[in-house]
């Protein structure tokens, strides 16, 4: 039995609220159990130097935690000299994951910034950030279509992420903080709605893992991601945003 | 007529939600119109070096804005070299204002950190932060009393803040961003519930102001602060926190 | 009786020396008792990015203290990560105060940097810096007029500043360090020579203050500022710089 | 045919030189084709704060590139504000990989720092760094055993790493820079000599990948890692360091 | 003929004012022509970590320039990321030069900080800083003797510095800025009053120099230093500080 | 007898390997006893802002040490706030020394970066870096001549450097670390192959030195530099780079 009474293959209670910020071109607030991430998507009509003149756009992400997102208070990163390795790893992962389902040429020479700020952190903040960022991105792109700045959504598929892990030799889906901190193996899986992998990061600092265990973890992740893709579509539909089948692959 | 149809002496619609964060010892989310500030109070059982061994405690604040709190996206302060002057001014003001109503000796050698993170900024974020921080502080201190780590609340009175200003030669209460950015004079007034001033900062970069205008602005601020003190008490009462009369001065 | 035998409404002995630096376009060294601030005004023929093409100029200030300006040695700010909050607050105040009496359109697209370096600090360094900076600014602008780069001084009035405070429940003018560090309330008042307020910052961290006490403090500041305006005019006259009546308002 | 005429499942020419630095407790210089990484292992008789008093030791890594390790010169990281995300990701990966095969309790309260400095970078620097760091670590630990500061090597198995990828829809082993920069999918696999996974990082920014492709890539990595484990043992043997069977698992 | 009409072997007009700062344990303001450096000596009863428990003291220096010390305004170093190479070179030179004439064991476990802030820079600021710092150091040490915290001055000899150079193939003493910026060779010579060298830094970026030219430059420096030693003694004598013959070597 | 059995006027065993890096336009790895410095020369077709449009080129250097270049591990400079004074002094010295023998006008508007990374440090790293950098510079310039981007080498003479010092009152050539750390006087001498001085830095922190001792030290340096000039020519000749007599002055 898990610490919060869930079955091994059960996601935590989920909520995905669109429009949590009135200024951003797109926004979504996700809750996965006690984990809460506030995501905004901002459109800027310019690209980084390396893309100028290429006709291609850019999608990038920033990640941060409020000082009291955790059980004990953390210092703000602005007080350190530079951004921590953990933060950089996470925001690079979010950016890569979204770019993998985005047609950057079709986006044109503009940038979308995804800002993911963790209000409460009970494990799985990076995967929650990816799942919610994809929704905020769609809202922002949908606005560009509505304003006729784009002809159609420059999007190839849905993208979502979930954590899986090996805890007490048992494969578990969607680890909360207590499970995560005692996991032998911790794996984050990012997939698209066409059942293809975007990124897999499995790490066994406390223990190593066999090929079989790895496959069992990815199987379980795939199951959870199916539920997350439905959640994303429902949240968008409740705001009257309906996606074509070639994106959702329903 | 004001941009949002308010009377000159009218506050914006207010909401003060207690317990917005499950980990912090105290927390409050304030909305003043479209301005939203998320405040947490964290208790730590140690004090800064200059207070060690004095028996006295400390109350301090940090302030930050999410990148998309505003109409256009701002860079995070962690990307700059050091914290901006505006941020430092604001967080020093919040800290001083709360210490002014706190009995630091009675608090004992512990620190309370108030973290004020602006989710949306439509003017008046620093005054909203003070008003909400005081509530988060009471929640945290009340917890210490409940856990018998303190005998009673080490608090002298309520503290709240509001902005006033001179816009088109008219004295206005609780400026929204559009008013603030065209104001001739901008004044922030922090008072306690005993009708005494804690801090006054009036600034006429775009114009100077007479003693009479100054007095009219403070009169109006005093009127608005009366309403804010009621709001604070109601929010606490809805969480069954009732304050003695020597604090509320009702 | 005050610590240095002054009457409550008495300024410390004042000295304002023009031309303390041979390279700067304007310079002034002010002594207020043991407080000494070295101010230079530098003219640069360019403006910050946000003013380019607007036809408007800019006046800004930087403030710093030498390590041994105080009883015990302080670390230089270059050794910290970023400029301290106190320094930023002060230099922003000096800049705003001077811009409030300057016609930036008439100045044209050029910038004046006021550098205020404290050689000795016995309280009131920020107000001394404002009073002396205004003089250095006039010297620099007068040079531009003399060289026919400006038709007339782009100045609306004199600007000066002084501190007042509540010490042992008594209202005092021009606090020295010992008084300042035991003051219940500390207030800095910036006015122009037309008896209008430019900025008021009153702060009661150690105690709160009533509306009456606030008015008594501003009355006393107004009295001291009258003497400072005379001092500024005398210092300029001794260098054969005479200001028109619409500026001095004599 | 690959750019350097290799078969898809062929490693580049390898060289592993022990003792490249005379001061370090352990050192190894690895060449994989034109990639060259200089690794040192330094023993320090203290641990980070979070381990003090636990009896447990620590193994950690730092990674850097000389400015001219690449085709065009790069700026040194000391000139930036903080360490880049890429560098942090890599050095965290190296540290985790080595700790996964190390018995930190048996190491006792001391730290081993692995410094991996890239002299030439032709792809696969992070995996080369892991493979060589493990050898430098063994040299340093062997010295502690020889000096009787440790009873036996606190090591569970060998650890090595290799890159695999999908280039033009073909699965390739040990990508050089030209291949890496045009790869659809890029995967780094860290394993121990018992055929278990330590870390898998697969990333398809340019394309997604199927479960089948993932398995084919890991199969190929496993083949290459077998050769690297032999290389590590031979390099150590040439310095008369022989490992027990429970570590090498031959 | 030199730009300011001096003979090749003539120093600029000199002034050395003791007691320019009322808080510092020692202070001196030096003018060499238009170069002005403000020096303070601060005594602190602790030493850097590497000297704790050794019984030995420490003498160190910091150097900075006010933004308008020069013809055009410079940015303050606190706005950069770290201290400039030039500043560090200079302050390390000042520290070494003073330590060379100081008996650090006799000083005991305390530190003297020399702060050298350049008010005006017309060439030769580092040498002027050394000459004046030595005087400020003596004042501070003399105070320790007077207060019986030291038995006698822990000083071996006087120390002073001067620049020499090769300009248009002519050897010149005490270069002003115009001469310095067109010099073929620039040399700073630090000596003690016993005619021994403490430090020589000769640099021929614009031209190389022969052994003969080097000797001619040092001869000229020695001549100028003799005058500076007299100036130091006179300044101290005017404050009733008289040095024993073994120090002055008169 | 010296610690490593050398005669007072004997250099340590030397090795100068050209082409140690395959990407750089020029490279050289120097060993002087146990001191090893890895130098690369990188050509960039742009100059710093202050040279744009002047037709003149630029030669500059950066210096760093790997963490384990020394007996005990040092922290990387990227972890500090800014580059250390020692590093800056050294890299400025290397740059000045090479520019002194380079015709920057003939080089044209391009920059050469010399990167000097110390692999092992047993004293004399800065002088070894100068000697090897000159060789790497020649390789890079020779490439430009071969590619007809330059008509001839824009070089006036050879440049090399060596340390000398006073240890136990004896004048020694090419100090190793143990000698250097107990030296009374430490002097670095940079000369060209025409027997002229480029830079002399003599420093007597632990003791002062007479004119005679200074001359004896420079005599000894001159002797050692003669041998280094031969070594440079031999290393280049072994790569079929032969220099005209007006450069080598043989």
């Amino acid at each position: 039995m898990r610490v919060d009474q869930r079955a091994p293959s059960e996601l935590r209670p989920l909520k995905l609220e669109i429009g949590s910020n009135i200024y951003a071109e797109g926004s979504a607030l996700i809750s996965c159990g006690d984990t809460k991430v506030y995501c905004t998507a901002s459109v800027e009509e310019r690209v980084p130097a390396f893309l100028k003149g290429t006709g291609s756009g850019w999608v990038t992400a920033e990640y941060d935690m409020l000082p009291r997102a955790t059980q004990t208070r953390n210092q703000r990163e602005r007080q350190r000299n530079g951004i921590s390795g953990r933060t950089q790893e996470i925001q690079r992962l979010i950016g890569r994951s979204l770019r993998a389902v985005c047609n950057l040429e079709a986006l044109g020479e503009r940038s979308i910034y995804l800002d993911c700020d963790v209000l409460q952190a009970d494990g799985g903040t990076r995967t929650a950030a990816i799942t919610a960022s994809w929704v905020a991105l769609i809202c922002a792109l949908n606005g560009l279509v509505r304003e006729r700045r784009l002809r159609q959504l420059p999007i190839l598929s849905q993208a979502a992420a979930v954590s899986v892990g090996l805890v007490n030799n048992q494969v578990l889906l969607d680890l909360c903080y207590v499970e995560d901190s005692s996991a032998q193996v911790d794996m984050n899986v990012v997939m698209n709605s066409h059942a293809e992998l975007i990124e897999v990061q499995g790490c066994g600092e406390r223990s190593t893992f066999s090929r079989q265990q790895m496959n069992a973890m990815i199987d379980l992740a795939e199951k959870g991601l199916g539920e997350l893709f439905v959640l994303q579509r429902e949240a968008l539909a409740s705001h009257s945003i309906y996606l074509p089948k070639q994106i959702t692959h329903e």
Side-chain angles (χ1 to χ4, degrees), chain A:
Chain A
M1 185 58 95
R2 298 172 73 171
V3 65
D4 53 6
Q5 329 297 334
R6 277 186 288 156
S9 64
E10 195 181 340
L11 292 174
R12 287 177 287 179
L14 282 158
K15 226 168 96 183
L16 225 172
E17 224 176 287
I18 286 182
S20 47
N21 179 291
I22 61 167
Y23 296 124
E25 284 72 31
S27 63
L29 173 61
I30 193 169
S31 309
C32 307
D34 284 333
T35 288
K36 282 180 202 232
V37 187
Y38 187 93
C39 298
T40 57
S42 300
V43 178
E44 298 200 355
E45 293 293 327
R46 57 200 161 87
V47 286
F50 71 92
L51 284 176
K52 268 180 199 151
T54 63
S56 175
W58 192 238
V59 173
T60 188
E62 293 191 3
Y63 170 96
D64 206 356
M65 284 172 76
L66 295 200
R68 201 53 198 277
T70 44
Q71 295 278 353
T72 55
R73 188 180 180 272
N74 292 299
Q75 219 189 17
R76 293 172 192 268
E77 295 220 330
R78 70 185 187 193
Q79 259 129 324
R80 312 171 10 114
N81 192 12
I83 302 175
S84 76
R86 178 184 176 276
T87 294
Q88 296 208 56
E89 260 181 49
I90 294 176
Q91 60 190 23
R92 283 156 58 94
L93 170 63
I94 302 171
R96 281 196 310 269
S97 297
L98 295 178
R99 287 193 297 274
V101 296
C102 197
N103 181 340
L104 297 174
E105 283 71 29
L107 174 59
E109 281 204 20
R110 52 172 66 90
S111 299
I112 319 265
Y113 286 85
L114 279 310
D115 285 292
C116 305
D117 286 88
V118 179
L119 304 183
Q120 285 180 185
D122 187 27
T125 61
R126 78 186 70 187
T127 51
I130 291 171
T131 302
S133 285
W134 182 84
V135 171
L137 174 64
I138 294 300
C139 296
L141 293 172
N142 192 57
L144 292 175
V145 171
R146 218 172 40 226
E147 296 165 12
R148 313 222 169 187
R149 291 155 72 191
L150 280 179
R151 289 246 297 265
Q152 51 180 41
L153 289 181
I155 285 291
L156 308 170
S157 63
Q158 290 180 252
V162 78
S163 76
V164 281
L166 203 59
V167 183
N168 292 328
N169 296 312
Q170 202 183 6
V171 176
L172 299 183
L173 179 67
D174 187 21
L175 278 56
C176 67
Y177 177 71
V178 170
E179 292 169 340
D180 186 70
S181 54
S182 67
Q184 298 153 267
V185 178
D186 172 30
M187 182 173 280
N188 292 298
V189 181
V190 191
M191 290 184 88
N192 69 14
S193 45
H194 306 188
E196 288 168 327
L197 291 156
I198 293 172
E199 186 128 356
V200 175
Q201 295 193 337
C203 161
E205 188 172 336
R206 231 182 247 93
S207 156
T208 51
F209 52 109
S210 66
R211 294 285 298 273
Q212 257 174 312
Q213 288 170 321
M214 178 170 173
N215 281 320
M217 285 188 279
I218 301 187
D219 286 343
L220 194 53
E222 214 172 322
K223 184 250 171 202
L225 288 163
E227 299 174 38
L228 290 167
F229 291 132
V230 172
L231 179 78
Q232 289 180 326
R233 290 193 296 264
E234 286 174 354
L236 288 168
S238 75
H239 272 62
S240 307
I241 302 179
Y242 303 98
L243 301 169
K245 287 242 154 50
Q246 68 270 32
I247 290 180
T248 61
H249 223 253
E250 279 180 286

